[in-house]
Each structure stands twice: as C-alpha cells, then as structure tokens.
Amino acid sequence: MQEQAERAEYVKNIGIEYRFGCYEEKRPESCQLLGEYMEALQQNFSAALAIFKKNCDEFSYPKSCFKYGMYMLAGKAGDDANLSKMIRPMKIACDANIPQGCRYLSLVHWNGEKDRKADSEKAERYMRRACELEDGEACWLLSTWYMGNKEKFKTTASGEAKELDRSELGQLSRDMEKSLQYAIRACDLDIPQSCANVSRMFKLGDGVPKDLDQAKKYADRAKEIMDTMRSNDTSAGFTG
C-alpha cells in the first residue's frame, strides 16, 4: 500500500512540474511532456489534444505538431479533422526530421480532396525524405507507387467489374528500377511484405532481370522477419 501511495504521489508531482514548466515558464518542451502526461497517465485525450494544438500553433514545436496532426488523422480534432489542415503541422514535424511526419505529409499530398487536387510531386518528395530517415513503411509505399497504377477495374461483391476512380489520388510514372531499389531498402528496414514483393519481382522478372536465387533469398528474409515478429508477440508478456 505504501509503495502504491508513493507511486501515486510521484505521478502527481510530475504533473505539477510539467504544468509549471508549460504554463508559468512557457517552455514548449514542458508542454509536450504535459500533453503526453495527460494522454498516457490521465487518459484525458481532449486535454492532451488542446495542449498539443496550442504548443504547435504558438511555438511550432515539432513533436506537438505531429501529435496534433495524428489527432486530426484519427478524426478526433473536431472541426480541424480534415486532410488539408494536417499539412502545416506535419510539415513542421517533417522539417524537424520526424520520419512519420514526412510520411503522413506525403500521404496528405497523395490523397486529394474535392477542393484540393493531389500533388504527386510533393507526395514523392516527402515520402523519399521519410525513407531517407529510415521509415521502412515509407520506403515500402514509395516502392509500390513506382509500380504504377496498372489495375483499372475491381470486382464488386456481386461479381461485377467496376472501373476504379483514381481521380483524387496521386500517380507516378512506372519505374521498376526505383521500385526495386525502395523495396529492397524497406526489406532492409524489416518490412516483411516488401521482402516478399522483392522476391516476387525477381521470381517473375517483373521489370527486373529474373533471378531465382535472389527470389529465394528475399522470400527467406520475409519469413525470418515474420517469425521474429510472431516470437516477439508471443513473449511480450513474459517477465521471467
């Protein structure tokens, strides 16, 4: 009981310290910590959102801008919950070399809206930046974009072939050399589906020279990553 009381007192004091640093000393790093405190320990998400938004609006603090942008993406930011309003906070995050900030900024530009056309050039630029910052998911997405949008139709539940509407999506010219390059990079960053795709490209000779040895190498790597992920999931609750 005493240990629990001491822990509760410590958590309370941390909150007081963060509030003082944020509200009295006006330190943006303290506001970020306060937002994370409200989010993780108090489970007060509306308060956390307000802190992140204010810290982004007033101080352009990159971590807070990223958090604010993610609340918008999740549709939890009220009237601010639209893609266009994500551009400013995510650009601040990206400019500060937050990899996921660059990735989501890219995706906003890739996905157009009724009053805003997709901007493929910006989408490519920011996704490449995220990949350079070792965001494996970004490298994987960029690889798929360079494959081009070959699929013209999808089959509905009734079996009818319906033409796909890509009018609000970005598009890059098909470039299988770049696709392979970024797919390998994503595989090196432990994205298993990218390893599997590299394997398929080598197996079929899809835009690259056919190479069954390389196909097996990357198929084995995909399996190795998946086995490791399953093992980590299984042992996550084990404390010894």
Side-chain angles (χ1 to χ4, degrees):
M1 290 292 292
Q2 183 179 351
E3 185 178 340
Q4 281 185 332
E6 288 175 352
R7 193 175 300 164
E9 184 67 18
Y10 173 77
V11 169
K12 179 183 175 182
N13 289 338
I14 285 289
I16 293 171
E17 179 183 331
Y18 292 160
R19 284 183 176 88
F20 183 81
C22 180
Y23 298 130
E24 300 299 326
E25 298 180 330
K26 309 293 183 186
R27 291 191 290 117
E29 59 270 24
S30 293
C31 294
Q32 173 66 21
L33 290 170
L34 179 59
E36 292 175 358
Y37 172 88
M38 298 303 294
E39 186 180 61
L41 295 177
Q42 298 295 312
Q43 300 284 292
N44 189 336
F45 301 110
S46 59
L49 167 62
I51 292 166
F52 292 137
K53 181 181 187 304
K54 189 171 188 292
N55 211 29
C56 180
D57 290 344
E58 294 186 4
F59 296 107
S60 296
Y61 193 71
K63 289 182 179 179
S64 291
C65 290
F66 177 72
K67 279 284 195 177
Y68 175 41
M70 293 307 291
Y71 271 88
M72 280 192 271
L73 182 65
K76 297 179 179 179
D79 293 339
D80 287 346
N82 70 59
L83 291 178
S84 295
K85 290 187 178 181
M86 285 178 62
I87 292 175
R88 178 185 173 270
M90 284 303 182
K91 187 171 188 310
I92 291 170
C94 181
D95 287 346
N97 294 333
I98 297 176
Q100 298 92 335
C102 298
R103 190 206 317 159
Y104 286 111
L105 177 59
S106 168
L107 288 170
V108 170
H109 287 300
W110 185 260
N111 290 270
E113 298 172 284
K114 289 182 179 179
D115 58 346
R116 179 182 59 85
K117 290 184 178 180
D119 190 327
S120 303
E121 184 180 340
K122 286 183 179 178
E124 179 185 23
R125 183 197 318 156
Y126 290 122
M127 197 64 79
R128 287 176 66 177
R129 181 60 186 143
C131 181
E132 289 167 1
L133 292 169
E134 299 190 346
D135 183 321
E137 290 288 341
C139 303
W140 157 243
L141 284 169
L142 199 51
S143 170
T144 65
W145 288 355
Y146 283 126
M147 289 180 182
N149 295 327
K150 296 185 294 181
E151 188 179 2
K152 299 295 184 184
F153 298 89
K154 68 177 179 180
T155 303
T156 64
S158 62
E160 178 187 0
K162 184 178 180 181
E163 190 169 0
L164 288 168
D165 180 10
R166 299 188 184 275
S167 59
E168 293 182 0
L169 286 179
Q171 187 168 356
L172 298 179
S173 299
R174 181 172 166 85
D175 188 329
M176 293 306 292
E177 185 176 335
K178 286 184 178 179
S179 180
L180 178 63
Q181 172 190 340
Y182 284 102
I184 290 174
R185 182 66 183 128
C187 179
D188 290 342
L189 292 168
D190 295 338
I191 305 297
Q193 66 267 32
S194 194
C195 302
N197 211 41
V198 174
S199 174
R200 185 195 66 80
M201 291 165 74
F202 278 123
K203 184 177 181 179
L204 300 177
D206 184 6
V208 300
K210 191 171 183 177
D211 190 327
L212 297 182
D213 290 337
Q214 288 288 83
K216 184 180 186 306
K217 170 187 170 182
Y218 284 100
D220 290 345
R221 179 61 184 142
K223 183 179 183 302
E224 180 184 342
I225 295 170
M226 288 301 298
D227 288 345
T228 300
M229 291 169 69
R230 291 191 192 98
S231 176
N232 290 341
D233 286 345
T234 302
S235 61
F238 180 68
T239 60

